[in-house]
Amino acid sequence: MPDEEGHPLPAEMDLRTVLHALADPLRFGVIAGFLREADGTERTCASFQLPVSKSTTSHHFKVMREAGLLRMVDHGNSRTAVLRTKELDARFPGLLDLVRAE
Amino acid sequence: MPDEEGHPLPAEMDLRTVLHALADPLRFGVIAGFLREADGTERTCASFQLPVSKSTTSHHFKVMREAGLLRMVDHGNSRTAVLRTKELDARFPGLLDLVRAE
DNA sequence: CCTTAGGTTCGACTTGCATCGTACCTCTTG
DNA sequence: CAAGAGGTACGATGCAAGTCGAACCTAAGG
């Protein structure tokens, strides 16, 4: 089962849920943004400056987190998100490459 | 531009549109159904016996057709759908493998 | 201790999408 | 020509999802 922050294990990740998460333009842009950075790059939600309110931004990150795309890391002061590259490549080989190619 | 039946060329296919088409359970099931058959298999919309009305079935096939997943072939009496395997593999390598692996 | 920065949660609103029934189209077959 | 099979188009409806503002939480730093 997902942990207290809603992160599913790779085996629990559902392809349709992931596809739905990626189908939204803003969320797709966030994942594409991570793929343009070095693997393991951590970023705050705010750093993406999405053209929506803070609460909507939080909602989108929750969808990605619960789909298994992102992991939230607590740093005391600010929380950061990191793309679960390794786990996604193992569970859905080729998926991130498709996003990267776009 | 898409032809008169709404089939996009591979270059016109949009990944997000394809992901959205695949995110629906019924549509995902149809594509998965095609992948269980021999490549090039043609099937009528009705042959899937989706648990929805005829008009809803037609709607779902339209979404898949306009995303580029399916091509409709006119046979005079009945129209059949066929998965655009080659074009999809070329445009989005690995995508169909993900669906197949599910 | 108060302020600020970064996120979350909640309730409300609004848009989008799946769904349906009805009507219509085309081709085949009796 | 009428009837039936397979699909499409359209308008209406209901639910899911995106959006927002306001209130709240935690940690850092003056």
Side-chain angles (χ1 to χ4, degrees), chain A residues 12-63:
Chain A
E12 296 165 344
M13 295 179 186
D14 175 58
L15 180 55
R16 286 208 313 274
T17 304
V18 170
L19 296 181
H20 171 257
L22 288 172
D24 180 271
L26 293 182
R27 295 193 293 254
F28 189 95
V30 168
I31 302 302
F34 272 112
L35 288 170
R36 269 183 247 108
E37 315 257 355
D39 186 24
T41 298
E42 299 188 5
R43 296 186 56 176
T44 64
C45 304
S47 73
F48 288 92
Q49 299 188 75
L50 302 185
V52 291
S53 73
K54 202 164 62 157
S55 53
T56 301
T57 298
S58 182
H59 161 72
H60 284 305
F61 274 80
K62 181 179 185 181
V63 171

Side-chain angles (χ1 to χ4, degrees), chain B residues 20-60:
Chain B
H20 170 258
L22 288 173
D24 180 90
L26 294 182
R27 295 193 291 255
F28 189 94
V30 168
I31 301 302
F34 271 111
L35 288 171
R36 271 182 246 109
E37 315 256 357
D39 186 24
T41 297
E42 298 188 5
R43 294 186 58 175
T44 64
C45 304
S47 74
F48 287 94
Q49 299 188 75
L50 302 185
V52 291
S53 73
K54 203 164 60 156
S55 54
T56 302
T57 299
S58 181
H59 162 71
H60 284 306

